[in-house]
């Protein structure tokens, strides 16, 4: 596996591969890799001839007081996992490669509206940081295909929208959430959970499963479902930011919508957990 910290060197390798006709997949990450990331890598290998993984803890998607400085950084372990996973190139940008030294880009890419709802309402500026960095990574790597996890459903929806709106020549592939045996969605932030919290954490998935089952059975009083799921989360020891029932494109759903998604974000100690379940009915 090649590793590079500079855009110039990365582009040299990419140009060589393109000359030989190879297609390129990109898996953007913030590191501290788990089986969820590795499932993206595995699929990337099926989708393209060469696989590039980026690891960059993106400062512009963290708000003031969020966990940017304490976000887990495990580059050596990550590199070993990626080597074993058959990745061709690890892009680990050095300071100053992605943003100017102030860490504040002069140009942002933003999908208005949806960026300020759901998680965006609780993390102002977060999605603007995500779409900006992902757009920059697409421009740097110019991949044929890029892969993201369904766990960050709103992120995936916004990135797909950005790609469509800006005619970016990349195919976006969403991959199913990878879970622990008890249903907890894998996340780098699960490491913030103490052992008692870790036991409680799976309730988030169970409560969403319950809401999803009721949607599947035909429930259309979405507000009542959201309210009951919030109450169940509070009883299970969480502090919910929100539970929301939305149409698959994250629009507010009418009663006859068939493709739905139940989403939640909730705090357990210092971990902010998110999860979602898609429902077809
Ligand atoms: O999902 C993530 O890890 C990040 O939001 C991403 C897409 C790598 C952008 O920094």
């Amino acid at each position: 596996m090649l590793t590079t910290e500079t855009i110039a060197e990365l582009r040299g390798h990419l140009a060589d591969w393109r000359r030989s006709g190879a297609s390129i997949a990109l898996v953007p990450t913030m590191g501290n890799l788990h089986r969820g990331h590795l499932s993206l890598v595995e699929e990337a290998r099926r989708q393209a001839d060469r696989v590039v993984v980026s690891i960059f803890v993106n400062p512009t998607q963290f708000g003031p007081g969020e966990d940017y400085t304490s976000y887990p950084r495990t580059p050596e372990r990550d590199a070993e996992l990626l080597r074993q996973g058959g990745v061709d190139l690890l892009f680990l940008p050095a300071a100053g490669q992605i943003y100017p030294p102030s860490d504040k880009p002069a140009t942002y890419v933003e999908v208005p509206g949806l960026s300020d709802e759901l998680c965006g309402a609780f993390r102002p500026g977060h999605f603007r940081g995500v779409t900006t960095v992902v757009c920059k990574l697409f421009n740097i790597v110019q991949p044929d295909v890029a892969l993201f996890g369904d766990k960050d459903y709103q992120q995936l929806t916004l990135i797909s929208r950005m790609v469509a709106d800006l005619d970016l020549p990349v195919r976006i592939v969403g991959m199913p959430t990878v879970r622990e045996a008890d249903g907890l969605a894998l996340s780098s932030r699960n490491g913030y959970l103490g052992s008692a919290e870790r036991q409680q954490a799976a309730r988030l998935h169970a409560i969403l499963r319950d809401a999803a089952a009721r949607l599947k059975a035909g429930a259309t009083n979405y507000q009542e479902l959201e309210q009951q799921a919030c109450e169940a989360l509070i009883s299970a020891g969480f502090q919910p930011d929100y539970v929301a029932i939305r149409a698959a494109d994250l629009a507010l759903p009418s009663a006859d919508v068939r493709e739905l998604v139940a989403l939640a974000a909730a705090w357990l100690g210092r971990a902010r957990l998110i999860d979602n379940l898609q429902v077809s009915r």
Side-chain angles (χ1 to χ4, degrees):
M1 183 178 76
L2 299 163
T3 300
T4 171
E5 295 189 352
T6 69
I7 295 174
E9 198 178 292
L10 169 80
R11 285 193 165 143
H13 294 306
L14 293 169
D16 289 345
W17 292 341
R18 281 206 192 88
R19 261 193 301 277
S20 70
S23 57
I24 291 162
L26 172 66
V27 180
T29 80
M30 298 207 300
N32 195 240
L33 303 178
H34 49 65
R35 283 184 289 117
H37 298 109
L38 298 179
S39 76
L40 302 181
V41 166
E42 217 176 291
E43 181 60 21
R45 291 184 62 192
R46 280 192 283 270
Q47 299 257 347
D49 302 315
R50 297 286 186 170
V51 176
V52 177
V53 173
S54 60
I55 297 183
F56 178 63
V57 182
N58 172 34
T60 65
Q61 68 187 80
F62 291 81
E66 288 191 351
D67 56 345
Y68 173 63
T69 46
S70 59
Y71 194 84
R73 290 161 170 86
T74 52
E76 278 144 32
R77 181 182 161 275
D78 291 347
E80 187 46 38
L81 287 172
L82 295 175
R83 196 170 295 119
Q84 288 167 14
V87 167
D88 296 284
L89 193 151
L90 167 59
F91 178 44
L92 206 57
Q97 287 291 297
I98 302 293
Y99 297 123
S102 69
D103 267 356
K104 289 200 168 32
T107 303
Y108 283 99
V109 177
E110 185 167 13
V111 179
L114 182 56
S115 291
D116 300 319
E117 297 176 24
L118 302 169
C119 282
F122 294 87
R123 303 186 67 191
H126 166 68
F127 286 119
R128 182 176 79 155
V130 170
T131 42
T132 299
V133 82
V134 170
C135 188
K136 283 170 74 69
L137 289 166
F138 287 172
N139 287 333
I140 292 165
V141 178
Q142 300 185 353
D144 299 281
V145 57
L147 297 95
F148 298 86
D150 278 350
K151 184 184 72 87
D152 296 285
Y153 190 90
Q154 189 176 6
Q155 167 175 286
L156 176 59
T157 305
L158 283 164
I159 290 169
S160 303
R161 184 64 201 258
M162 170 186 77
V163 163
D165 286 355
L166 299 181
D167 304 305
L168 300 179
V170 56
R171 193 161 48 81
I172 302 298
V173 172
M175 289 293 293
T177 302
V178 178
R179 299 181 181 279
E180 301 284 7
D182 63 0
L184 176 66
L186 295 193
S187 162
S188 300
R189 289 191 170 97
N190 291 353
Y192 296 161
L193 298 167
S195 60
E197 289 164 349
R198 172 62 193 84
Q199 301 295 309
Q200 285 164 273
R203 289 291 300 147
L204 176 61
H205 176 58
I207 289 165
L208 278 178
R209 254 198 348 246
D210 195 47
R214 291 165 67 185
L215 287 170
K216 188 106 188 151
T220 53
N221 190 340
Y222 304 132
Q223 263 190 332
E224 185 182 81
L225 271 182
E226 291 167 355
Q227 182 63 33
Q228 287 172 352
C230 265
E231 282 162 14
L233 282 169
I234 292 166
S235 303
F238 290 83
Q239 271 183 278
D241 275 352
Y242 66 86
V243 175
I245 312 297
R246 291 287 178 108
D249 63 357
L250 293 182
L252 287 170
S254 55
D256 57 358
V257 168
R258 303 183 84 85
E259 303 298 322
L260 290 158
V261 56
L263 309 104
W267 290 87
L268 198 51
R270 59 183 277 260
R272 183 177 187 275
L273 304 177
I274 60 172
D275 203 350
N276 68 83
L277 281 176
Q278 295 170 59
V279 180
S280 269
R281 60 181 191 181

